[in-house]
Amino acid sequence: MTAAEETAREDAPWGEVTPEAARKLLVAAVAAFAERGYHATTTRDIAGRAGMSPAALYIHYKTKEELLHRISRIGHDKALEILQAADASGGTPSERLAEAVRSFVRWHAGRHDTARVVQYELDALSDEHRAEIVGLRRRSDAVVRDILDEGVETGEFDVPDVPGTTVAVLSLCIDVARWFNVAGRRTPDEVGALYADLVLRMVRAQK
Amino acid sequence: MTAAEETAREDAPWGEVTPEAARKLLVAAVAAFAERGYHATTTRDIAGRAGMSPAALYIHYKTKEELLHRISRIGHDKALEILQAADASGGTPSERLAEAVRSFVRWHAGRHDTARVVQYELDALSDEHRAEIVGLRRRSDAVVRDILDEGVETGEFDVPDVPGTTVAVLSLCIDVARWFNVAGRRTPDEVGALYADLVLRMVRAQK
């Protein structure tokens, strides 16, 4: 794969899901879960949205929960990847924290349907799958917590409660998926810039 | 009603809903909607949870949407009341903003099932009911925005983007309903105190 192809694959939502039929079913499942909720959606609904038969769905996904798990896994992998990329972008703790917030907000605004499914339907996962996802969430939390710890250590941040502030920073970004409106006044980039500034204020960053 | 009875009525969740059968059905509906989502819940499910027959439910609520509207209306009235009470508590903009955040967080943590239904099922309301609820939400937003405007005017706050910061403050509090865990390490009061501090930092309050 060339670098350009790699970028195109990563930019296309669910580009990592193959074959095409499996990808279409997953896109249909995200739309259905976001619109009506996981429990109100049947595999028949999902197959219908994808223009396929229920039998064709079962070739790719044995259960509805398997679809939810796939969506949740890809979404959480992406969230972790976004935070890790921001952390690896170099610069001071302030710069890396701002970049983490900007890119995390952009994802939650731009992909709000997926984010809502990923964030609100955790209880519908099997115990085993939920444990796996909780593990990924802990790793995402740790990226932000480590940046805060580092900023406190260097004296750049003033944060009395690092674990609590970590929860608040991630929560602020995640809730964008609930209220963000594509027809609203702000673009994902504008919300990201505003929130990065608010988070730097939360940690009293000395730039 | 004596003052003590008045207090007891207000403290009891859904104490304002009478008669008793209507209140029990509403409590059952909140639990069912929070657990499985609005669209996956039937009026039969709700009647069953309340230990009543579907026919008994229809005496009090003509449709499932009427139950959701009642829950959403009471929840939004309560949210507005909490913010107005904090604003009326007197003191500087910093003190009133901190009190608004503390009490709003306490409600979203302590009543997280109700808050999730109220916040996540807006799309399931009829157009007329949604318009009514949106009106209440605008009034809640305005309470916070006015405190921010006042603090900026007196020079107590430094807030370049008051509308955006208003959204962020309320969003931070609302998302507590998603992640708050009664078995977790923090009490609603502790989260409220932490968040009040974080919000005062967001507005660069000069105390």
Side-chain angles (χ1 to χ4, degrees), chain A residues 10 15 21 25 33 54 58 60 93 98-99 133 143 148 158 165 174 198:
Chain A
E10 289 196 353
L25 286 162
F33 294 159
Y58 288 115
H60 302 285
E99 179 54 25
I133 298 298
V143 174
L148 295 187
D158 162 23
T165 305
I174 287 169
L198 290 174

Side-chain angles (χ1 to χ4, degrees), chain B residues 21 24-30 32-33 41-61 64 67:
Chain B
K24 277 172 69 177
L25 286 161
L26 203 123
V27 170
V30 170
F33 294 159
T41 300
T42 64
T43 49
R44 184 173 287 273
D45 296 334
I46 296 167
R49 269 183 189 257
M52 291 165 66
S53 70
L57 183 145
Y58 289 113
I59 297 173
H60 301 285
Y61 305 99
K64 184 172 71 160
L67 270 157

